[in-house]
């Protein structure tokens, strides 16, 4: 391999790292929380006997480091550059062309696109690395018999090491051996393929592998409850097609004669690779998910002001709205500033639960913030049970917190012990040991103690634990338990009534709690809503002593609406002056 080609791999690998860090910095944080690596021998031996168990264990070992900045992009760039390099070396040896080696990036590019889908398991990347290194090793064995023996044994070992990707190796072997072997021995090229696929078939029929596609397709490296997109197959197809093309070049003895022609072809090929990568990233790169993963990371780390800053202007995604609403609630600003943003409908505060891991994480966070510990705990348990990896570390932390709040210390200790086996979460788990079997420590803690104060009395805990996930019902329970401390739940509940324009329920809560510790003063948004509620009997507003500025602003709003009632652009006309009011929401949303 020439120095120029080595420099090419080095520079393109660095470029890939920069791309991943710039375009997908939060993808790695997002993926890390769904795979918990346990630093113990039992975890290794539990995984090793499974088909693909070695790469599964190694992938979870690597993913644990994604919690550190730059680590995810760096590790991924190294592995993908290794894939491109090894694939390129295979093509160079088969074809004799250093220029064709550049196309090894096509296989790695396809992995970039599929990695962007967070439902893809990192095990799939490592599986391709193992397969390509095995194929590369085959090329160094000159004896046909020894090589076929190695390929047959290698296929069996790869079933154990990588699982379904052993099919990728077996088909590659067939293509290679069918061309390389002497005419009378071509039938021997079927041996590794038959042995490998035969073993996978037996594992499938004996239910060791649960589904046919998990035995023979890259679907094995995707969330088992979901159907992957076609992009997941591109890397496999790329390996086979590029190998076939390299063999054709080898058989035809085609080569470029002059240095100038080699440079021109190399430059043209490099430009084509960039174009393919650009188009493929736009088409398959899941770019629309980047913002959600960023907001999710801010939410996980409590960077509430960054969430607010990013959600300025128009937002239409309910998941974004949920995270924004939680950020406002955590800062005690939900009632005062909710209509400064583009919320629409009660789902803006909490989407409906769809039994998926990511929505379970989101809703568990929301209900924990609001003080419905029972529902937060239930959603954490459900989300953890359908995690993409073995556990969702973030939800295990939530289960520790909720069980400490309930005083269920034995259960909390079980989860703490699990997290203590992880290098990433060991310190967090040890810090929470001080709360075990120590009610006073829990009650004095600013977070756990405040949440414990929102629990219903002991005789009512069964009712609380079976509470449904409907927003209004969920937010009522902390208020019933301790209305003086349930300000966040109250603001969520009032916000839900306002967003669904349920003025009767809103008015009922105002009359019940106004002047109490739960609602000592009326936020501006509530005053605006009271004007709407009493539009037909304005004399009823007198007892609330509304702010004069609010009344004056409403008079101006009503005047402009009446004066421009036939103007089709009325919404845009009034948005600048009244877009942050409840009246604008009622009329135009």
């Amino acid at each position: 391999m020439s120095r120029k080609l080595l420099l090419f791999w080095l520079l393109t690998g660095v470029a890939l790292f920069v791309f991943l860090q710039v375009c997908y910095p939060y993808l790695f944080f997002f993926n890390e929380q769904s795979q918990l690596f346990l630093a113990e021998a039992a975890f290794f031996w539990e995984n090793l006997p499974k088909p693909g168990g070695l790469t599964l264990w190694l992938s979870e070992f690597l993913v644990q480091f994604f919690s550190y900045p730059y680590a995810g992009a760096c590790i991924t760039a190294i592995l993908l550059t290794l894939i491109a390099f090894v694939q390129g070396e295979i093509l160079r040896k088969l074809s004799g062309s250093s220029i064709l080696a550049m196309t090894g990036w096509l296989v790695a590019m396809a992995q970039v696109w599929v990695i962007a889908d967070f439902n893809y398991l990192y095990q799939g990347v490592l599986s391709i690395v193992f397969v390509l290194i095995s194929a590369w090793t085959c090329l160094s064995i000159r004896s046909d018999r020894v090589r076929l023996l190695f390929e047959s044994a290698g296929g069996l070992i790869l079933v154990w090491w990588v699982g379904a990707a052993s099919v990728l190796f077996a088909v590659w072997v067939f293509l290679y051996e069918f061309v390389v072997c002497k005419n009378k021995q071509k039938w021997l090229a079927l041996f590794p393929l038959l042995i490998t696929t035969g073993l996978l078939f037996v594992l499938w029929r004996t239910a060791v592998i649960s589904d046919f596609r998990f035995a023979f397709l890259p679907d094995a490296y995707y969330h088992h409850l979901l159907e992957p997109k076609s992009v997941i197959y591109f890397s496999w197809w790329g390996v086979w097609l590029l190998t076939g093309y390299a063999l054709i070049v080898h058989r035809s003895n085609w080569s470029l004669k002059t240095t100038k022609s080699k440079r021109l072809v190399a430059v043209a090929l490099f430009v084509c690779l960039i174009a393919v990568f650009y188009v493929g990233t736009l088409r398959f790169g899941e770019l629309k998910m980047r913002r959600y993963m960023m907001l999710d990371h801010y939410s996980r780390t409590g960077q509430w002001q960054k969430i607010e800053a990013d959600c300025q202007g128009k937002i239409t995604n309910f998941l974004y709205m949920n995270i924004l609403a939680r950020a406002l609630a955590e800062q005690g600003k939900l009632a005062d500033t909710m209509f400064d943003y583009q919320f629409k409908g009660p789902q803006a505060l909490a989407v409906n639960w769809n039994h998926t891991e990511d929505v379970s994480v989101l809703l568990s966070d929301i209900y924990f913030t609001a003080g419905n510990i029972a529902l937060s705990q239930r959603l954490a348990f459900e989300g953890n049970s359908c995690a993409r990896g073995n556990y969702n570390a973030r939800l295990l932390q939530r289960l520790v917190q909720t069980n400490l709040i309930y005083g269920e210390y034995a259960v909390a200790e079980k989860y703490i012990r699990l997290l203590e086996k992880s290098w990433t979460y060991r310190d967090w788990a040890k810090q929470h040991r001080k709360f075990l079997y120590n009610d006073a420590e829990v009650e004095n803690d600013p977070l756990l103690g405040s949440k414990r104060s929102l629990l219903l009395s002991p005789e009512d805990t069964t009712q609380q634990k079976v509470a449904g996930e409907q927003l209004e019902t969920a937010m009522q329970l902390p208020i019933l338990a301790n209305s003086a401390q349930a300000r966040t739940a109250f603001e969520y509940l009032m916000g839900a009534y306002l967003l669904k324009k349920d003025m009767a329920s809103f008015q009922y809560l105002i009359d019940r709690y106004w002047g109490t510790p739960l609602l000592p003063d009326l936020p501006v948004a509530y005053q605006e809503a009271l004007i709407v509620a009493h539009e037909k009997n304005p004399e009823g507003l007198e007892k609330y002593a509304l702010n004069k500025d609010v009344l004056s602003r409403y008079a101006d709003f009503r005047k402009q609406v009446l004066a421009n009632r036939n103007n089709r652009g009325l919404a845009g006309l009034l948005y600048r002056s009244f877009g942050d009011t409840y009246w604008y929401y009622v009329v135009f949303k």
Side-chain angles (χ1 to χ4, degrees):
M1 182 176 62
S2 67
R3 291 183 179 179
K4 291 182 178 179
L5 195 55
L6 183 60
L7 183 62
F8 168 77
W9 296 122
L10 179 61
L11 292 178
T12 50
V14 172
L16 178 61
F17 165 74
V18 173
F19 169 81
L20 291 173
Q21 186 58 41
V22 171
C23 293
Y24 296 103
Y26 300 98
L27 169 67
F28 305 105
F29 296 133
F30 194 82
N31 283 341
E32 178 271 333
Q33 66 188 11
S34 286
Q35 297 184 46
L36 182 68
F37 179 79
L38 304 180
E40 59 173 359
F43 184 63
F44 175 77
W45 292 113
E46 177 186 344
N47 283 283
L48 197 61
K50 303 175 184 177
L54 179 61
T55 50
L56 178 61
W57 182 85
L58 283 174
S59 68
E60 293 182 347
F61 172 79
L62 292 177
V63 167
Q64 70 176 321
F65 299 108
F66 287 7
S67 59
Y68 302 104
Y70 305 105
C74 182
I75 292 170
T76 303
I78 290 173
L79 289 177
L80 294 182
T81 303
L82 181 61
I83 288 175
F85 167 77
V86 177
Q87 177 65 59
E89 282 298 287
I90 291 172
L91 298 175
R92 186 177 66 84
K93 286 188 176 183
L94 291 178
S95 66
S97 170
S98 296
I99 296 175
L100 188 60
M102 296 168 62
T103 60
W105 268 114
L106 291 172
V107 176
M109 285 178 188
Q111 282 297 292
V112 172
W113 302 331
V114 74
I115 284 172
D117 184 344
F118 55 80
N119 288 304
Y120 182 70
L121 304 180
Y122 212 70
Q123 181 190 8
V125 180
L126 286 174
S127 297
I128 292 180
V129 172
F130 274 67
V131 166
L132 291 179
I133 290 176
S134 300
W136 191 19
T137 305
C138 292
L139 299 181
S140 64
I141 302 176
R142 297 187 178 277
S143 170
D144 289 349
R145 291 185 178 180
V146 174
R147 189 174 62 251
L148 284 167
L149 180 61
F150 173 83
E151 290 163 349
S152 299
L156 295 177
I157 294 173
L158 285 176
V159 169
W160 174 34
W161 283 359
V162 306
S166 57
V167 174
L168 172 62
F169 175 75
V171 174
W172 180 90
V173 166
F174 174 75
L175 291 172
Y176 172 66
E177 294 296 342
F178 189 78
V179 174
V180 173
C181 282
K182 298 177 182 179
N183 290 334
K184 293 182 179 180
Q185 296 178 327
K186 288 187 181 295
W187 61 275
L188 294 174
L190 284 171
F191 266 30
L193 179 61
L194 293 175
I195 291 173
T196 302
T197 56
L199 176 57
L200 288 170
F201 181 81
V202 170
L203 292 174
W204 168 57
R205 292 297 296 176
T206 56
V208 175
I209 299 177
S210 61
D211 195 291
F212 178 86
R213 62 192 182 97
F214 298 155
F216 297 96
L217 299 174
D219 299 41
Y221 311 113
Y222 200 77
H223 196 300
H224 66 284
L225 297 176
L226 303 174
E227 291 283 343
K229 298 177 182 178
S230 61
V231 67
I232 199 173
Y233 304 107
F234 288 3
S235 291
W236 287 28
W237 294 343
V239 171
W240 296 331
L241 292 174
L242 289 171
T243 298
Y245 182 72
L247 290 170
I248 292 172
V249 171
H250 171 74
R251 292 294 293 269
S252 64
N253 293 319
W254 177 84
S255 64
L256 296 169
K257 304 300 182 182
T258 65
T259 302
K260 183 178 180 181
S261 61
K262 290 180 180 179
R263 289 177 179 174
L264 288 174
V265 171
V267 171
L269 182 58
F270 184 68
V271 171
C272 288
L273 288 174
I274 294 176
V276 169
F277 186 63
Y278 176 76
V279 174
T281 302
L282 292 180
R283 174 66 178 83
F284 304 109
E286 300 289 344
L287 297 174
K288 63 183 179 180
M289 288 299 300
R290 294 182 301 164
R291 187 180 184 187
Y292 175 72
M293 289 186 282
M294 177 187 69
L295 293 174
D296 178 77
H297 177 69
Y298 290 158
S299 179
R300 183 184 186 186
T301 54
Q303 300 182 65
W304 312 123
Q305 293 181 351
K306 287 187 176 181
I307 294 173
E308 284 191 76
D310 187 79
C311 291
Q312 298 293 328
K314 187 176 183 179
I315 53 174
T316 57
N317 189 304
F318 281 131
L319 298 178
Y320 301 170
M321 296 179 195
N322 284 188
I323 295 175
L324 172 59
R326 184 186 178 220
L328 297 176
E330 285 283 355
Q331 300 175 86
K333 298 165 56 177
L334 186 60
D336 293 311
T337 63
M338 184 170 68
F339 291 100
D340 291 350
Y341 301 91
Q342 299 293 313
F343 291 110
K344 186 175 182 180
Q347 286 199 63
L349 300 179
V351 295
N352 294 327
W353 185 40
N354 61 1
H355 300 267
T356 64
E357 176 186 5
D358 303 305
V359 172
S360 296
V361 169
L362 174 63
L363 293 178
S364 181
D365 284 348
I366 290 172
Y367 291 120
F368 187 82
T369 291
N372 190 324
I373 305 306
L375 190 49
S376 177
Q377 183 182 76
R378 173 191 165 195
L379 289 165
F381 184 84
E382 295 286 354
N384 190 62
S385 67
C386 60
R388 291 180 288 276
N390 53 345
Y391 300 103
N392 184 298
R394 181 174 175 180
L395 292 179
L396 288 180
Q397 290 177 302
R398 181 68 74 222
L399 288 170
V400 169
Q401 292 173 321
T402 54
N403 280 288
L404 288 174
I405 292 167
Y406 270 116
E408 296 174 350
Y409 296 120
V411 180
E413 187 173 20
K414 178 185 71 172
Y415 294 120
I416 287 175
R417 286 176 180 172
L418 193 60
L419 289 169
E420 283 177 334
K421 297 175 183 178
S422 162
W423 293 337
T424 306
Y425 298 96
R426 181 175 296 167
D427 290 342
W428 185 94
K430 288 182 178 179
Q431 290 170 5
H432 282 72
R433 272 197 168 276
K434 67 180 180 180
F435 298 112
L436 292 174
Y437 311 103
N438 192 334
D439 287 337
E441 193 74 33
V442 172
E443 291 167 4
N444 290 331
D445 183 74
L447 177 63
L448 301 180
S450 63
K451 301 304 181 185
R452 178 175 279 192
S453 70
L454 296 174
L455 298 181
L456 291 173
S457 59
E459 59 270 19
D460 293 331
T461 54
T462 301
Q463 176 188 353
Q464 185 178 15
K465 288 186 178 182
V466 298
E469 64 273 3
Q470 294 300 318
L471 178 62
E472 289 88 345
T473 303
M475 296 307 173
Q476 287 170 3
L477 291 174
I479 300 172
L480 293 174
N482 188 345
S483 62
Q485 301 295 323
R487 182 64 181 267
T488 302
F490 182 77
E491 291 187 357
Y492 263 107
L493 182 58
M494 295 292 273
Y497 289 146
L498 291 178
L499 289 173
K500 67 189 296 187
K501 304 176 185 178
D502 184 353
M503 304 313 299
S505 299
F506 167 80
Q507 180 73 58
Y508 171 78
L509 291 181
I510 289 288
D511 292 339
R512 180 173 180 179
Y513 291 107
W514 181 45
T516 70
L518 186 61
L519 188 63
D521 302 304
L522 292 175
V524 171
Y526 293 3
Q527 295 184 47
E528 293 171 348
L530 283 170
I531 293 174
V532 175
H534 290 82
E535 186 175 12
K536 294 183 179 180
N537 58 329
E539 61 278 0
L541 289 173
E542 295 178 2
K543 66 178 180 179
Y544 299 108
L546 301 185
N547 188 292
K548 294 181 179 180
D549 291 338
V550 174
L551 294 170
S552 176
R553 197 179 183 197
Y554 175 70
D556 189 25
F557 173 80
R558 189 170 184 275
K559 180 180 178 180
Q560 292 195 41
V561 169
L562 294 175
N564 297 277
R565 65 177 66 183
N566 295 322
N567 187 342
R568 294 183 178 180
L570 180 59
L573 180 66
L574 295 181
Y575 179 76
R576 178 174 297 182
S577 299
F578 302 99
D580 61 344
T581 66
Y582 184 64
W583 315 312
Y584 186 91
Y585 177 85
V586 169
V587 175
F588 298 110
K589 295 183 181 181

